[in-house]
Amino acid sequence: MSADEAGLRARLVAIARRLAAAGMNTGTSGNMSARVPGGYLVTPSGVAYDTMQPGDIVGMADDSEDIGGARRPSSEWRLHRDIYRHRPEVGGVVHTHSPYATTLACLGRAIPAFHYEVALAGGTDVRCAPYATFGTQALSDAALRALEGRRACLLAQHGLVAVGASPEEASATADKVEALARLYWQVLQVGEPRVIDEAEMARVARKFAEYRSSPHGDVPGVSGKNVK
C-alpha cells in the first residue's frame, strides 16, 4: 500500500467519524468514498464508525472487483462506482442519513432556491431522486439523474448524496445541504417561502465560482471563510 493510499484511508475514517459525531449518520448508516487510480476506496458494510480503522476501508476496481481489504464494501458501492464513472471531476462521494435532509427526502421534497446558498449545491435547487431499494442499480441510476449538473441530491425515503473534488469537499457540501434542509424545514413551519429567481441564482453561482477560482479558494459556508 502506498503512503498516499494509506493517508487517504485515514482521511476517510476521520470524515466518517466526524459525520457520525455530528449526527449526520447513526449506527452504521451512510457511506463515503474517494477516487484512486483504477478504482475507489469505500467504507465497509456493517462497521461502526467509532471502531472503524483505515485497514477496514475496502478497495474497489472500476469493474467492481474487490482489490483489497478483509471487509465487504458498503451496500451502496454501485452508487459510488457509477458516480466516478460518469463524473470525472469527482474525487469524493459522501452519503448520509442526516435528519433534516432525510426528513425532506421522506416527503419526496426537493430544496428550492429559498436561500441563495442553495447555489452551493450546483444549481437552482437540490433535487430529490425517486425512491429505489438501497444498494440497487435502480437507486444508482436515479441518483445520477438527480445529480446532473449538481453537487448534491436527496434520495426519497432514504437520505442525501454529495460529491466533490475530494472527500473533504463532498463532506463540506453534505454539511451545507443538511444546514439548508434544516432551515427550509423551519421555514415550512411558518409557510411556503418566496423562491429566488433563476437569473439571481445564476448571478450567485457566478460569484461562488469566482470565490473558488480565487487564490484563497474562499467559498462562503464551504471553505470555512465567510467572504462577502
Side-chain angles (χ1 to χ4, degrees):
M1 183 188 303
S2 70
D4 286 345
E5 180 177 327
L8 192 52
R9 286 170 175 265
R11 286 162 56 195
L12 282 175
V13 171
I15 291 168
R17 289 180 175 174
R18 184 192 68 76
L19 290 172
M24 297 281 282
N25 284 316
T26 59
T28 61
S29 66
N31 36 79
M32 50 239 39
S33 69
R35 188 193 294 271
V36 294
Y40 57 99
L41 301 173
V42 65
T43 48
S45 178
V47 178
Y49 294 122
D50 59 352
T51 63
M52 187 181 296
Q53 299 297 320
D56 294 321
I57 301 296
V58 182
M60 301 288 287
D62 289 331
D63 59 5
S64 300
E65 294 294 329
D66 187 345
I67 59 172
R71 301 285 189 177
R72 290 183 298 110
S74 164
S75 60
E76 301 294 3
W77 61 266
R78 290 177 182 83
L79 174 63
H80 296 264
R81 176 200 65 187
D82 292 349
I83 289 173
Y84 292 127
R85 283 181 174 178
H86 291 87
R87 298 283 296 269
E89 81 282 9
V90 170
V93 178
V94 167
H95 168 45
T96 74
H97 292 184
S98 50
Y100 287 93
T102 303
T103 296
L104 297 178
C106 287
L107 295 170
R109 189 156 192 159
I111 303 175
F114 79 105
H115 189 288
Y116 77 93
E117 285 191 338
V118 168
L120 289 169
T124 57
D125 62 358
V126 179
R127 302 183 186 113
C128 185
Y131 177 79
T133 305
F134 77 92
T136 63
Q137 188 62 48
L139 177 65
S140 178
D141 292 344
L144 281 175
R145 288 191 293 270
L147 282 169
E148 288 181 6
R150 300 289 191 270
R151 287 185 283 275
C153 74
L154 306 183
L155 304 175
Q157 286 82 39
H158 191 153
L160 160 70
V161 178
V163 303
S166 66
E168 288 82 4
E169 186 174 292
S171 174
T173 298
D175 286 336
K176 175 52 65 178
V177 172
E178 173 65 3
L180 287 166
R182 178 177 181 176
L183 184 58
Y184 183 45
W185 179 86
Q186 290 173 175
V187 169
L188 290 174
Q189 309 314 299
V190 179
E192 288 287 343
R194 296 179 63 181
V195 175
I196 301 171
D197 64 47
E198 290 191 8
E200 174 59 14
M201 289 299 285
R203 179 174 181 270
V204 170
R206 289 193 297 271
K207 290 177 69 68
F208 284 156
E210 291 169 3
Y211 288 136
R212 284 193 173 89
S213 63
S214 73
H216 301 293
D218 298 327
V219 180
V222 170
S223 68
K225 298 178 181 179
N226 291 317
V227 178
K228 296 293 184 184

